[in-house]
């Protein structure tokens, strides 16, 4: 949408969804253009529609993910303003069924 000059219209469309779920923020680092576009998405939904974001990284590491501490800080500010932040501790649910049994090598 950005390269076609239709980013504003696309952001309006995405704002119409009551909930947008974005899984694994930070799993792959964003280049500068992607970071700016993601910031625009977060900003366009701010105080208009809900988002659920998952990440295995603390907010302190988001500057590394987005390559820019200023963008990361501004995004985090918008995300947490009306958020319930849930931090999960403990073993991975995905690895729960893959626990080594006694006597097996890892």
């Amino acid at each position: 949408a950005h390269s076609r000059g239709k980013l504003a219209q696309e952001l309006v469309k995405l704002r119409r969804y009551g909930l947008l779920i974005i899984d694994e923020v930070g799993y792959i680092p964003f280049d500068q253009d992607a970071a700016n576009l993601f910031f625009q998405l977060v900003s366009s939904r701010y105080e208009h529609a809900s988002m659920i974001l998952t990440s295995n990284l603390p907010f302190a590491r988001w500057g590394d993910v987005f390559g820019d501490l200023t963008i990361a800080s501004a995004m985090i500010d918008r995300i947490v303003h009306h958020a319930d932040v849930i931090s999960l501790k403990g073993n991975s649910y995905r690895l729960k069924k893959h626990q080594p049994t006694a006597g097996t090598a890892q």
Side-chain angles (χ1 to χ4, degrees), residues 100-106:
T101 57
T104 61
Q106 291 193 19

Side-chain angles (χ1 to χ4, degrees), residues 79-92:
I79 291 168
V80 302
H81 181 221
H82 296 293
D84 291 318
V85 178
I86 301 169
S87 180
L88 303 176
K89 306 286 184 204
N91 296 328
S92 167

Side-chain angles (χ1 to χ4, degrees), residues 27-49:
Y27 180 71
I28 298 172
F30 285 59
D31 65 26
Q32 190 63 47
D33 289 336
N36 288 329
L37 291 170
F38 192 70
F39 174 77
Q40 289 182 59
L41 173 64
V42 169
S43 293
S44 76
R45 293 182 64 82
Y46 176 62
E47 295 194 329
H48 294 282

Side-chain angles (χ1 to χ4, degrees), residues 7-8 10-16 20 22 30 34-51 53 62 66 70-82:
L7 181 61
E10 189 65 26
L11 291 173
V12 168
K13 276 194 231 176
L14 289 171
R15 199 169 40 239
R16 290 181 188 147
L20 186 62
I22 303 170
F30 285 59
N36 288 329
L37 291 170
F38 192 70
F39 174 77
Q40 289 182 59
L41 173 64
V42 169
S43 293
S44 76
R45 293 182 64 82
Y46 176 62
E47 295 194 329
H48 294 282
S50 297
M51 294 176 64
L53 296 111
W62 280 30
F66 294 103
T70 303
I71 287 176
S73 296
M75 196 173 339
I76 292 165
D77 185 57
R78 286 162 177 77
I79 291 168
V80 302
H81 181 221
H82 296 293

Side-chain angles (χ1 to χ4, degrees), residues 23-24 54 56 91-99:
D23 191 29
E24 294 289 349
T54 69
N56 65 343
N91 296 328
S92 167
Y93 174 77
R94 291 181 181 118
L95 297 177
K96 184 177 182 179
K97 294 182 180 179
H98 295 90
Q99 296 298 324

